[in-house]
């Protein structure tokens, strides 16, 4: 008996009891569909975190003002005004792990162009801020050195501001007013989308930090060159934790913080937070896939059970085949092919149902899902292995029957 004859014999045996074969495949179908759907959901969650990391910028930390303690009463977050532009410069020069340290301050103002106006956050920053955020320009140019030092009336705007103020018109070289100060638009930022908190990052205008200090802020904090935050980008390949410790030690020295004193600043390692979210989503994917994989094991047990029943029902047939010259390996191949065929057919239907379920989750639940070829191959391959593993024992038992005993079986 060659392989083709064994496959034809296996097909005839399966088609002889179609309902039983379908019910036997049900566990494999559910298992494969579940594995594919769970992996797609987990992969979608991982990709969403990676998109947030790309939007935020790689290897980024944020140094923020701390709290003020007045008479034993602690005020809210970021009530301290301890950070200055000089602190950012010191971090950039004295911490070897740091690529750039970009000071920035923020205020919300009304942007006006012609008869159109739009309320938007305005940041006072430098070109290093865009480098830290991995934020290129869609058109125009960056700030020049003279503009940064001389409080020039120039501005970079985000995609949302460009759309709301200019519509389809090119914003570059146009003049807008921020707090009644005319500013020339020199560039438009690439689209960033929403951040992990749901805020529109493209709703922004960025002016030189000296311009913000002298023309937008204009208070004591501006005269003292206070800043609202410092965005720190760590060099690729360097340890984020070591950079964080060095920044903390430097700022404590500069601010003369006592050994046990409260730090008037906070450091948020945003990359570590997103990496922790990514690791959590991957762990959840593995757990959900493992739970779904239990269905494959249950389906495999069902295949073994039905194959044992099939061997018992066809004992006389096995004896007759052996009597006319079939060898044990021929019988083994016949029943093993039957088990593998059941698994592969169940796997194929499971892949189809998994694709439909993945689409339904993305369409109706609104979750981000990602169905990959690797997940399909993994689920289908595992279903084939289940057929081999759970089908081998019944096939081995059939091949070990003695012809005389098999022919005498009732």
């Amino acid at each position: 008996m060659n392989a083709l004859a064994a496959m034809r014999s296996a097909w005839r045996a399966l088609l002889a009891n179609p309902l039983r074969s379908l019910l036997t495949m049900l566990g494999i179908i559910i298992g494969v569909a579940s594995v594919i759907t769970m992996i797609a959901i987990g992969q979608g969650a991982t990709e969403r975190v990676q998109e947030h990391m790309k939007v935020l910028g790689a290897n980024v930390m944020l140094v923020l003002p701390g709290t003020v303690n007045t008479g034993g009463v602690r005020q809210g977050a970021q009530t301290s005004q301890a950070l200055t532009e000089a602190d950012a410069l010191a971090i950039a020069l004295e911490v070897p792990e740091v690529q750039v340290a970009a000071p920035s301050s923020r205020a919300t103002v009304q942007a006006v162009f012609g008869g159109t106006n739009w309320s938007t956050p305005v940041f006072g920053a430098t070109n290093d801020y865009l480098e830290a955020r991995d934020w290129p320009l869609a058109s125009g140019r960056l700030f020049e050195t003279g503009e940064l030092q001389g409080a020039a009336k120039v501005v970079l705007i985000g995609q949302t501001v460009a759309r709301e103020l200019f519509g389809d018109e090119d914003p570059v070289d146009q003049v807008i007013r921020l707090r009644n100060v005319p500013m020339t638009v020199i560039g438009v930022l690439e689209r960033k989308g929403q951040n992990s908190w749901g805020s529109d990052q493209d709703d922004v205008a960025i002016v030189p930090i000296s311009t913000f200090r002298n023309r937008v802020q204009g208070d004591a904090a501006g005269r003292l060159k206070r800043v609202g935050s410092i965005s720190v980008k760590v060099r690729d390949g360097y340890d984020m934790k070591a950079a964080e410790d060095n920044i903390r030690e430097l700022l404590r020295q500069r601010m003369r913080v006592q050994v046990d004193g409260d730090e008037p600043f906070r450091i948020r390692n945003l990359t570590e937070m997103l990496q922790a979210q990514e690791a959590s989503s991957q762990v959840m994917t593995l757990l959900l896939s493992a739970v779904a994989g239990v269905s494959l094991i249950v389906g495999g047990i069902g295949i073994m059970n039905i194959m044992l029943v099939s061997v018992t029902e066809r004992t006389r047939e096995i004896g007759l085949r052996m009597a006319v010259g079939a060898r044990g390996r021929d019988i083994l191949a016949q029943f093993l092919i039957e088990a593998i065929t059941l698994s592969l057919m169940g796997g194929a239907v499971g892949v189809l149902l998994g694709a439909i379920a993945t689409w339904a989750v993305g369409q109706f639940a609104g979750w981000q899902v990602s169905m990959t070829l690797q997940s399909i191959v993994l689920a289908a391959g595992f279903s084939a292995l289940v057929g081999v593993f759970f089908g081998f024992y019944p096939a081995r038992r059939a091949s070990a029957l003695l012809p005389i005993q098999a022919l005498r079986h009732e």
Side-chain angles (χ1 to χ4, degrees):
M1 178 183 287
N2 55 31
L4 185 59
M7 291 183 66
R8 284 200 301 265
S9 177
W11 270 105
R12 285 195 298 269
L14 293 176
L15 293 176
N17 297 283
L19 182 59
R20 186 172 73 179
S21 299
L22 177 61
L23 293 175
T24 303
M25 290 188 295
L26 197 57
I28 299 294
I29 293 172
I30 294 174
V32 170
S34 301
V35 168
I36 288 177
T37 305
M38 292 301 103
I39 292 179
I41 293 173
Q43 183 67 25
T46 301
E47 290 181 359
R48 185 168 60 251
V49 173
Q50 291 173 347
E51 288 174 2
H52 288 162
M53 292 179 68
K54 187 182 298 184
V55 165
L56 177 66
N59 303 334
V60 174
M61 287 186 289
L62 200 60
V63 184
L64 298 168
T67 61
V68 173
N69 194 327
T70 305
V73 179
R74 300 181 68 193
Q75 306 300 316
Q78 302 182 38
T79 52
S80 170
Q81 291 187 331
L83 297 177
T84 66
E85 295 176 37
D87 293 327
L89 181 60
I91 292 172
L93 294 178
E94 299 182 33
V95 180
E97 296 89 353
V98 171
Q99 180 175 331
V100 292
S104 63
S105 295
R106 180 183 186 276
T108 300
V109 304
Q110 205 73 16
V112 180
F113 174 72
T116 307
N117 66 88
W118 181 254
S119 179
T120 185
V122 173
F123 282 81
T126 64
N127 293 331
D128 289 341
Y129 178 79
L130 301 179
E131 182 179 351
R133 295 287 309 279
D134 291 332
W135 205 343
L137 292 178
S139 62
R141 62 174 178 83
L142 296 174
F143 300 126
E144 295 177 352
T145 303
E147 293 170 340
L148 290 169
Q149 296 175 349
K153 293 184 285 186
V154 292
V155 62
L156 303 171
I157 61 175
Q159 295 282 341
T160 300
V161 177
R163 183 186 68 244
E164 296 297 335
L165 291 183
F166 298 95
D168 297 330
E169 187 179 351
D170 184 9
V172 177
D173 295 331
Q174 302 283 359
V175 177
I176 64 175
R177 295 196 308 276
L178 301 176
R179 283 193 176 166
N180 292 322
V181 178
M183 302 274 187
T184 301
V185 178
I186 62 171
V188 179
L189 300 167
E190 283 280 4
R191 187 175 303 280
K192 271 281 189 179
Q194 292 185 345
N195 59 21
S196 55
W197 299 278
S199 299
D200 182 7
Q201 297 183 103
D202 298 312
D203 188 5
V204 66
I206 300 176
V207 300
I209 194 165
S210 58
T211 305
F212 184 92
R213 184 172 62 242
N214 297 328
R215 302 182 185 276
V216 178
Q217 197 171 27
D219 55 13
R223 293 192 298 273
L224 295 173
K225 296 187 177 182
R226 303 289 191 190
V227 295
S229 64
I230 301 174
S231 300
V232 179
K233 183 179 180 66
V234 178
R235 300 179 191 275
D236 290 336
Y238 283 78
D239 184 28
M240 295 283 290
K241 181 61 177 175
E244 181 179 346
D245 293 341
N246 290 337
I247 292 171
R248 175 172 283 105
E249 183 62 26
L250 174 64
L251 291 178
R252 288 179 66 92
Q253 292 176 6
R254 289 181 58 84
M255 298 177 185
R256 296 181 174 85
V257 179
Q258 299 297 323
V259 176
D260 298 327
D262 293 334
E263 297 174 345
F265 61 87
R266 295 184 299 117
I267 300 177
R268 295 178 60 185
N269 193 332
L270 304 180
T271 302
E272 280 190 358
M273 292 167 58
L274 291 176
Q275 287 174 344
Q277 292 180 18
E278 182 179 9
S280 298
S281 65
Q282 290 175 346
V283 170
M284 288 302 299
T285 301
L286 290 175
L287 290 175
L288 292 173
S289 299
V291 171
V294 172
S295 298
L296 285 173
I297 304 299
V298 173
I301 294 173
I303 289 177
M304 177 184 283
N305 181 49
I306 292 301
M307 293 307 298
L308 286 172
V309 171
S310 180
V311 169
T312 302
E313 290 177 345
R314 296 158 62 188
T315 300
R316 288 177 61 83
E317 175 191 333
I318 295 169
L320 184 59
R321 288 181 179 275
M322 288 183 170
V324 298
R327 294 162 296 182
R329 63 185 183 184
D330 297 326
I331 304 300
L332 177 68
Q334 176 186 350
F335 282 91
L336 196 56
I337 287 174
E338 288 185 24
I340 295 174
T341 302
L342 280 171
S343 294
L344 289 179
M345 290 176 63
V349 177
V351 167
L352 178 60
L353 290 181
I356 295 173
T358 299
W359 173 84
V361 169
Q363 188 74 19
F364 299 109
W367 295 358
Q368 182 172 335
V369 293
S370 177
M371 184 174 173
T372 62
L373 180 61
Q374 290 85 347
S375 65
I376 296 174
V377 171
L378 176 65
F382 192 66
S383 67
L385 289 177
V386 165
V388 173
F389 182 80
F390 288 99
F392 182 79
Y393 174 72
R396 183 72 183 85
R397 182 173 177 178
S399 66
L401 290 174
L402 297 177
I404 299 298
Q405 294 179 350
L407 288 171
R408 288 177 177 175
H409 182 76
E410 294 294 338

